[in-house]
Amino acid sequence: MDQTADIVIIGSGIGGASLAYSLADSGRRIVILERGQYLRDTPEARDETAIFLKGFYRSTEEWVGSDGEAFQPGNYYYVGGNSKFFGAVMYRYRLEDFSPRPHMDGASPGWPITYDELEPWYDRAEAIFKVRGDASQDPTEPPRESPYRFPPVQDEPAIAAVRSRLNKAGIHPSSLPLAIDIEEWLRRAKTGWDAFPNTGSGKIDAEAGPLTAALNHGNVSLVTGANVLRLETDPTGQQVTAAVFLKDGVEQRISAGVFAVAAGAVQTAALLLRSANAAHPRGLANGSDQLGRNFMNHNTTAMLAIDPLSANTSVYQKTLAFNDFYNADPETGFPLGNVQLLGHITGNILKANAPLLPRWLAGLIARNCYAWFLTSEDLPNPESRVTVSNGRIVMHWVRSNMRAHEILIRRTRHVMRKAGFPIVLSRTFGRKTTSHQCGTARLGSSPQTSVVSTDCRSHEIANLYVTDASVLPTSAAVNPALTVAALAIKAGATIKQT
């Protein structure tokens, strides 16, 4: 079965949905291919036992580590992609993230575009995701042409008390920028949203925000259950001519004038590698041999700050962060990273992450703990890469900048104790945790050292774009979602001009 369109977008996550939103008013026939289905509302959607203990939504997909062992990466395949389960934190990269700068164990190369060039697109992304925040609270907040359109999600009383304790400890806590309509979210059930699936409009994920806006235009359509197998080119290899996908067990083909791949940093690299042909023997858009390389994933740690004398009565918790160590550690001078609250940890959630912990003890700890998420920058390394072997994705992640992350853990532990939390526990996530995947099709000015240009277009194939976290040249140390959306919207403006 052959179909035609003007523009084909592969993936309906943040990158694909934001691109579709940017292009929707162009009048061109846009078809979005999504391998997953719509996430339907069921009782399990707010059942922490089903989600965290029983893995109701967990994909059975397996990747292979470079050690040869298979693992489940934690990706989700639904309309809206991984954003259906994200924590809804939508930070702008800090101004300093766009410039080269030294780190404790290496250096960040910076970006080929400036923050000022991306700032208008950040603003558009914040608008479609209805991001709530207060730029005046965070001393690392980059310059803005306009303030947030909505005030921040309010701290619950227990979190307001934590904010006060941090202030007294000499820290500068700030409200997280969140794509959350808190009243709408809590109307469905009184739970947090971090790692909970979004089956309504309380969390403004890729589906609820830009995809819904795009599909309101008659020229935009979505095909679900469409697993793209490969892209085909003309004999010269200079144009993509078709996407071949499997739907309901039948192989289908769709041709178009423009193709954009936004399947996620790992899946995008795998698709382009699988699409190798005579003109592109190492994979599409891979003349630089950088496709799949420079995989970054953030160095992350979960920390529990426990006060046996103070019960945590919050429901959603995730409204607070601090960036006091983001740009400079007071002792070493090197950047360390971001510290933000996780969603409220219950006994069941804690038990799911610590299976050997007795359930009664998990409940006791959870009652008096505040969970934090510590993030440090992962530096690009061409040897950290995604490959495909015998049809399977192989992940070789070379960790970097871990000394800085270890210092961030120590600094944060000291802050928590100074703020009155006598018990502080931490767990650093392993090399097979892939929550902030980026960097496998890096954006750059040189075709020799990057995969796509500064407008997300392939250096080698004029009608091929990549508009997901693959293109990020650095990982920074904040959540990448808003930066992905901004780049995709920017790429849409370029495509309109072609």
Side-chain angles (χ1 to χ4, degrees), residues 131-476:
V131 182
R132 291 145 171 82
D134 181 353
S136 69
Q137 296 180 13
D138 187 347
T140 70
E141 179 76 22
R144 307 172 59 92
E145 286 295 316
S146 57
Y148 285 102
R149 291 165 176 79
F150 305 94
V153 178
Q154 188 173 1
D155 290 341
E156 295 163 281
I159 305 306
V162 171
R163 184 190 289 256
S164 177
R165 291 165 79 159
L166 290 173
N167 273 314
K168 291 176 182 176
I171 293 298
H172 302 84
S174 55
S175 297
L176 280 167
L178 294 167
I180 286 288
D181 180 340
I182 190 61
E183 292 181 359
E184 183 64 26
W185 178 263
L186 294 177
R187 185 174 293 117
R188 168 67 174 76
K190 300 298 188 288
T191 71
W193 59 82
D194 201 1
F196 281 79
N198 184 34
T199 57
S201 56
K203 180 159 55 176
I204 299 88
D205 56 34
E207 180 200 356
L211 184 62
T212 295
L215 292 174
N216 284 333
H217 294 256
N219 56 302
V220 182
S221 61
L222 173 70
V223 181
T224 59
N227 190 3
V228 179
L229 306 175
R230 66 186 181 275
L231 299 179
E232 297 179 339
T233 69
D234 64 13
T236 70
Q238 296 179 3
Q239 294 277 324
V240 176
T241 56
V244 179
F245 61 97
L246 197 64
K247 179 174 172 60
D248 299 326
V250 178
E251 193 170 287
Q252 302 184 33
R253 177 178 280 97
I254 184 167
S255 60
V258 174
F259 290 83
V261 185
V266 174
Q267 291 288 0
T268 285
L271 171 60
L272 295 176
L273 289 167
R274 287 199 309 267
S275 300
N277 57 26
H280 299 275
R282 294 190 293 193
L284 293 194
N286 196 26
S288 64
D289 191 32
Q290 293 301 301
L291 179 65
R293 296 185 183 271
N294 304 296
F295 173 79
M296 295 169 287
N297 195 42
H298 283 154
N299 300 317
T300 55
T301 289
M303 180 175 285
L304 301 183
I306 303 169
D307 181 354
L309 302 179
S310 175
N312 182 355
T313 59
S314 68
V315 172
Y316 49 85
Q317 180 171 281
K318 193 178 180 70
T319 55
L320 199 61
F322 59 88
N323 286 312
D324 292 62
F325 309 119
Y326 192 90
N327 286 320
D329 173 45
E331 292 186 16
T332 67
F334 287 104
L336 298 185
N338 166 263
V339 180
Q340 62 181 257
L341 281 170
L342 286 164
H344 181 60
I345 300 295
T346 65
N348 286 329
I349 295 174
L350 186 57
K351 174 69 175 174
N353 287 277
L356 297 180
L357 197 65
R359 192 180 293 270
W360 67 267
L361 183 56
L364 185 64
I365 293 172
R367 188 180 65 186
N368 291 78
C369 84
Y370 297 82
W372 298 86
F373 189 64
L374 284 59
T375 302
S376 299
E377 182 161 357
D378 184 21
L379 305 176
N381 179 347
E383 297 308 312
S384 188
R385 63 187 302 194
V386 174
T387 58
V388 176
S389 177
N390 298 320
R392 301 186 76 184
I393 291 173
V394 180
M395 172 70 65
H396 179 59
W397 179 28
V398 181
R399 299 201 81 152
S400 69
N401 203 30
M402 279 302 292
R403 276 203 302 158
H405 189 63
E406 289 162 2
I407 292 175
L408 178 63
I409 295 169
R410 293 203 298 270
R411 297 284 182 267
T412 307
R413 183 179 290 116
H414 175 74
V415 165
M416 295 302 156
R417 287 176 174 158
K418 191 175 179 181
F421 296 95
I423 304 170
V424 182
L425 309 174
S426 63
R427 175 189 171 191
T428 298
F429 292 106
R431 300 194 332 173
K432 293 176 181 177
T433 300
T434 53
S435 53
H436 288 167
Q437 308 156 24
C438 60
T440 57
R442 69 189 308 183
L443 175 149
S445 301
S446 169
Q448 283 72 48
T449 58
S450 60
V451 177
V452 298
S453 67
T454 55
D455 57 9
C456 298
R457 189 202 307 246
S458 162
H459 288 299
E460 302 170 30
I461 304 175
N463 70 334
L464 175 64
Y465 291 76
V466 178
T467 61
D468 57 23
S470 306
V471 305
L472 299 179
T474 67
S475 67

Side-chain angles (χ1 to χ4, degrees), residues 11-17 32-39 57 74-86 196-198 203 205-208 211 222 262-264:
S12 65
I14 285 179
I32 306 162
L33 302 178
E34 168 55 51
R35 67 183 283 179
Q37 302 290 342
Y38 280 98
L39 180 59
Y57 294 97
N75 272 23
Y76 297 99
Y77 300 105
Y78 295 99
V79 174
N82 285 328
S83 75
K84 298 303 294 181
F85 292 79
F86 79 153
F196 281 79
N198 184 34
K203 180 159 55 176
D205 56 34
E207 180 200 356
L211 184 62
L222 173 70

Side-chain angles (χ1 to χ4, degrees), residues 95-118:
L95 183 65
E96 294 81 359
D97 291 323
F98 288 84
S99 300
R101 61 173 170 171
H103 287 261
M104 191 165 293
D105 292 310
S108 176
W111 281 51
I113 62 174
T114 66
Y115 170 81
D116 287 344
E117 290 176 83
L118 197 55

